[in-house]
Amino acid sequence: MSGMLARYEALVAAGELRPDAQQRAAAERLQALQNALERGKPGFLDRLFARKPAPPRGIYMWGGVGRGKSMLMDLFVDTLAIERKRRVHFHAFMLEVDALIGEERAKEAGDPVGPAAARIAEGVRCLAFDEMVVNNTADAAIMSRLFTALIRDEGVTVVTTSNRPPRDLYKDGLNRSLFLPFIDLVEEELDVLALSGPVDYRLDRLGEIDNWHTPLGPESTAQVREAFFRLTDYKPEDAAHVPSADLDLGGGRTLRVPKSLKGVAVFSFKRLCGENRGAADYLAIARAYHTVIVVGIPVMGPDRRNEAIRFTKLVDALYELRVKLFATADAEPSGLYPAGDGSFEFARTVSRLEEMRSADYMALGHGAQG
């Protein structure tokens, strides 16, 4: 049983996956794409005129965290019996694109996007992305041209996962009109599959790992580190190579995200609350990531009033967009800001932090309201 669907069925039969109608439908569509890619060869007219055959139609899988998108992508890529395939995290891919465009621009030979796409497509028939998310204005501006060239000019089949439907990508982003042709392209060239079932499979992987770990120290750090690897499927032995990111905050400002993978971000408390930040910055984080890990939260006295206020704004933003929070701290939430200006109001933050640890909150989809 080497095909995508056979492998999926074997996992269900073995009890490693629960039966899920939406996952099954997605597995069937992915199997059909596998079949098309594996039997796809240039026709007579393609060979005669040295042209690229039209690629099999791609797939855009979207859904909340833990709905099985990465698992299905794993099965698809692992069982796809062609050599000319490539899987890459979307953020890493766009960094590569930026570098290639810079090289092509230096040649001063017209629009650099097409030649960059041609270089990416060399030796690749199927390009698979983990977690398509667009936060960068520069990326948003070129994506329509880039993917039009990859799909229509270079004959590359694109398969991607995302936490959002196509129409919600780069929502409220700066100059979003430049991005809209990319959304149209996705809907024209890719089948859009929703995985929105009620079961969050990734939460099962967390096992007994709690959200809040205290006191600060190696044991707490080890717990959130383990949560990160379980949530992202990243191999712990390759921890040194976890990708970072620069989150676009608007107005030409960016925020360095030390670890950024599959919708999970890791920050230090000092980076988020020790610097002058406002609610808009925290909302940008909450929109971009379904899970945020904050390490090194201290107990704050009256002399750290500003940090406590910023932390309150951070928690408000994460709570409003149903972001999962994991943390290492010097105290339980109720002991973080026991005295000082605004400590009475901080009680609401404590209440929200406690709610964010509940099973009901953890089961909510990213961005869900109400």
Side-chain angles (χ1 to χ4, degrees):
M1 294 191 300
S2 59
M4 160 82 200
L5 187 56
R7 190 79 65 83
Y8 174 79
E9 290 176 337
L11 290 170
V12 173
E16 294 186 37
L17 294 176
R18 306 177 197 178
D20 184 305
Q22 288 185 330
Q23 283 188 4
R24 167 75 192 207
E28 291 175 351
R29 175 64 186 89
L30 288 163
Q31 179 64 66
L33 176 54
Q34 269 195 353
N35 295 342
L37 286 165
E38 289 171 5
R39 67 170 176 261
K41 296 180 179 179
F44 172 74
L45 291 178
D46 293 323
R47 294 193 299 271
L48 180 64
F49 293 103
R51 67 187 184 191
K52 293 182 175 68
R57 187 174 177 84
I59 294 174
Y60 182 106
M61 289 188 293
W62 72 274
V65 57
R67 265 59 186 187
K69 305 183 300 296
S70 292
M71 176 272 297
L72 290 169
M73 182 72 90
D74 287 341
L75 294 179
F76 172 75
V77 175
D78 290 347
T79 59
L80 179 58
I82 65 173
E83 292 183 1
R84 297 170 61 194
K85 61 183 178 181
R86 182 186 177 196
R87 181 178 181 176
V88 61
H89 190 268
F90 190 74
H91 173 70
F93 174 76
M94 291 309 297
L95 289 176
E96 177 185 337
V97 168
D98 290 343
L100 289 174
I101 287 177
E103 292 175 13
E104 294 297 330
R105 184 175 287 120
K107 298 176 183 178
E108 299 181 355
D111 186 356
V113 175
R119 290 173 62 181
I120 292 166
E122 290 175 4
V124 176
R125 288 184 57 217
C126 181
L127 191 53
F129 296 112
D130 285 317
E131 299 297 345
M132 179 177 283
V133 61
V134 185
N135 299 312
N136 183 285
T137 303
D139 290 347
I142 67 166
M143 283 181 62
S144 176
R145 287 179 291 148
L146 174 68
F147 281 88
T148 296
L150 284 171
I151 296 170
R152 294 177 175 170
D153 300 338
E154 303 300 330
V156 174
T157 294
V158 171
V159 181
T160 188
T161 66
S162 179
N163 290 327
R164 303 173 182 273
R167 287 285 158 189
D168 283 354
L169 287 174
Y170 198 54
K171 195 171 184 179
D172 302 321
L174 187 65
N175 295 324
R176 190 169 186 259
S177 60
L178 298 176
F179 183 73
L180 295 178
F182 172 75
I183 296 175
D184 294 336
L185 177 74
V186 167
E187 294 179 339
E188 291 171 11
E189 300 289 350
L190 279 67
D191 288 340
V192 178
L193 308 180
L195 293 172
S196 55
V199 178
D200 189 336
Y201 295 92
R202 192 166 290 172
L203 291 181
D204 289 346
R205 301 181 193 175
L206 290 171
E208 299 302 315
I209 297 179
D210 195 4
N211 301 65
W212 196 270
H213 301 276
T214 187
L216 295 176
E219 186 175 341
S220 292
T221 300
Q223 287 290 299
V224 294
R225 184 176 184 272
E226 179 65 20
F228 177 85
F229 291 121
R230 292 192 189 184
L231 288 165
T232 60
D233 303 310
Y234 205 78
K235 296 178 181 179
E237 57 269 25
D238 203 25
H241 300 106
V242 174
S244 58
D246 290 306
L247 178 64
D248 188 351
L249 299 177
R253 298 183 307 118
T254 61
L255 172 63
R256 186 67 172 171
V257 186
K259 295 186 186 302
S260 173
L261 184 66
K262 293 187 176 181
V264 182
V266 179
F267 296 98
S268 68
F269 175 86
K270 183 177 181 181
R271 174 67 60 88
L272 289 184
C273 302
E275 301 173 0
N276 187 20
R277 301 197 181 283
D281 293 358
Y282 299 130
L283 282 171
I285 294 169
R287 292 189 186 103
Y289 295 99
H290 60 71
T291 301
V292 170
I293 298 174
V294 181
V295 297
I297 303 174
V299 171
M300 293 167 278
D303 60 324
R304 306 184 83 164
R305 170 184 175 274
N306 290 336
E307 290 165 89
I309 291 173
R310 292 181 197 123
F311 183 68
T312 293
K313 292 179 180 179
L314 169 66
V315 172
D316 285 347
L318 299 182
Y319 179 86
E320 291 300 328
L321 288 176
R322 304 308 188 237
V323 176
K324 312 301 184 290
L325 173 65
F326 290 80
T328 66
D330 247 344
E332 292 293 333
S334 60
L336 287 178
Y337 190 52
D341 186 14
S343 60
F344 179 80
E345 291 80 2
F346 195 83
R348 183 173 68 96
T349 299
V350 172
S351 176
R352 287 194 161 183
L353 287 170
E354 294 295 351
E355 182 183 344
M356 291 166 78
R357 299 169 71 173
S358 70
D360 287 343
Y361 180 91
M362 292 291 288
L364 295 172
H366 181 211
Q369 299 297 314

